[in-house]
Amino acid sequence: MAKVVVVGGGAAGLVAAWRAASRGHAVLLLEANGRLGVKLRISGGGKCNITHDGPPKALMAAFSKEQARFLRPSLHAFDNRAVLDLLRREGVETYVRDNGRVFPLDRPGSAGAVVSAFETLVRRAGVEVRTGARVTGLEGEFPRLSALRVGEERLAADAFILATGGASYPETGTRGEALGWLKGLKAPVRPWFPALAPIPLARPRGTWEGVALREGELRLSAGPEGRRLAVFAGDILFTKVGISGPAALELSQATERARREGAAWLVYASSLAAPERVDAALIEEARANPRLLAATWLQRHLPERLVDPLLQEAAVDRGLMLKDLSRAARRELVGLVTALPLGGPQPVPLARGEVAAGGVELAAVDPHNMALRGWENLRVCGELLDLDGPVGGYNLQAAFSTGFAAGTL
Ligand SMILES: Cc1cc2nc3c(=O)[nH]c(=O)nc-3n(C[C@H](O)[C@H](O)[C@H](O)COP(=O)(O)OP(=O)(O)OC[C@H]3O[C@@H](n4cnc5c(N)ncnc54)[C@H](O)[C@@H]3O)c2cc1C
C-alpha cells in the first residue's frame, strides 16, 4: 500500500482518487476550493454533458490525431459505458440526446448529482478529502518527487497525481499554475491557449446581441481575400462584443492562432450554395416575381432584425423591387447570404473557454498510466494534459479516462 496524493478534486482527480483507493492505496485528495467538482457543477450549463455516445473509436475520432492516439489505451480501459455504469450504480440515470451527447436525466441541479455520485464513491473507497487546500509547489529531485507544499505545510507521499485542470474559468479554481511547477521540473509543456471560447470581433455588432444565424457555416480565412483556414457547420449567436454559439466556440482556437499569425477573417454563410447558384436563383426569382422587395428576399435567408441594417450597409434601398436590382446590388445581396462578413477578431479570451488548449506535452507522458516519462512517482491527468476535444462530452470523458489510468497504481 502506497501513500498517494491527488491534487485537484475535479473530474480527473475524483476518478483517480477513487481508483487508487479502490486498489488499496492510502489516498489524500487535495482541492483548492471549499468543495469538490466546481467546474463539473457548471458543465453543460449546469446539466453536465457527461460523455458522448458511441464506441471508443468514434470518441477518439473527435480529437486530433495525436490526441486520439494518446487517448486510445485509457479510453479502452475506462470508456463511456464504464463511466455511465459507475454513475448508474450511484443512482444517476442518464439519457442520450439525438446528437449523441449524454446527460443525467433532467432534474434541477443534475450536474450536482454527478458530483455527489463521485464524492460518494471517493469517500466510500476511503479517500481522505481536504478541501480549501491549494497546493503551491512541488519538491524533489529527478527522478523522484518527495513532497508538495500547501502554503507553509509540506506533504510527503510515495506517489503524486496532478489533476489540476486547465486555465479557463479561473473562478472555478483552475488557474493553470501547475504548468509552471512542471516546467520547473523540465517537463515539456505547451503554454495555455484559448479554445472553445466566444470570439470577440474588432467590429462588434452590439445591437445584434441575441440574434442567431442558423444552419450555415462559419468560415475562417487568412484575411478578407486570404485562403480558407477552417470551417465549422453550425449556428452562431451575436453577443455584445462578438459571436458565440457552437460554430464560434469550435473555431475559436483556429481563429486565435490565425490572429496571432497576423491575419484572421470570419464570414458566415447562411446559404451553403455557391454564390453563382444563389445569384442565378435570385435572377430567376426576379423574373418570376418582379415586384418582390429585396428586403423580403433577404428575409428568407437572414433573421428579420438584420435585414434593414444590412441593406443600409450595402446601400440597397429597402423599397427596391427585385426587377430594379442593379447587378452590383444583386451581388451585394448574394454576398450577404453566402458570406456575411464578420471581420477580424479581437484576442480570444483564455478565461472564457470551455477548455484550455496547451498543457503537458503528450509525448512526455505514458498513455497507459499517465506517468511523466523519466519520473518514478509523478503522474498527470485530465485537462492539465495537452488535450482539448470539441463540445459534446468529449472533454469530461478524456478527464475520466486519463484519471482512471493515473489512479491505476
Ligand atoms: C462552462 C463550462 C462548461 C463545460 N461543459 C462541459 C460539458 O458539458 N461536457 C464536457 O465534456 N466538458 C465540459 N467542460 C469542460 C470540462 O469541464 C473540463 O474539461 C473538465 O472539467 C476537466 O477535468 P479536470 O479534472 O482535468 O479539471 P477540473 O474539473 O477543472 O478540476 C481541476 C480541479 O483542480 C483544482 N485545482 C487547481 N489547482 C489547484 C491547486 N494548486 N491545488 C489544489 N487544487 C487545485 C481546481 O480547483 C479544480 O477543482 C466545460 C467547461 C466549462 C468551463
Side-chain angles (χ1 to χ4, degrees), residues 7-13 30-33 39 42-44 49 133-135 163-165 169 172-174 177 181 353-354 382-383 393-396 399:
V7 187
L30 301 174
E31 166 54 52
N33 293 319
K39 195 173 271 180
I42 60 161
S43 64
N49 178 192
R134 178 163 285 276
V135 171
T164 49
Y169 281 74
T172 66
T174 46
E177 70 270 42
W181 312 334
E354 286 204 5
E383 206 181 314
Y394 300 100
N395 288 303
L396 280 175

Side-chain angles (χ1 to χ4, degrees), residues 221-224 229 255-265 345:
S221 333
L229 297 173
T255 300
E256 178 60 8
R257 190 158 294 122
R259 192 195 67 80
R260 291 189 192 183
E261 283 165 8
W265 190 259

Side-chain angles (χ1 to χ4, degrees), residues 11 17 26 50 84 88-89 103 134 158 161 192 194 202 215 217 231 253 258 265 288 291 310 312 315 334 342 345 382:
I50 305 164
L84 298 179
R88 193 172 309 118
R89 287 202 295 274
F103 285 82
R134 178 163 285 276
D158 304 312
I161 299 175
W192 296 119
E215 289 168 27
E217 59 186 32
V231 56
Q253 190 178 162
W265 190 259
R291 303 184 72 78
L310 285 176
Q312 213 168 22
V334 170
L342 303 169

Side-chain angles (χ1 to χ4, degrees), residues 1 3 9 27 39 117 133 163 177 179 187 202 216 261 265 315-316 368 404:
M1 182 172 92
K3 182 169 182 203
V27 181
K39 195 173 271 180
E177 70 270 42
L179 222 50
E261 283 165 8
W265 190 259
V316 175
H368 296 91
F404 185 86

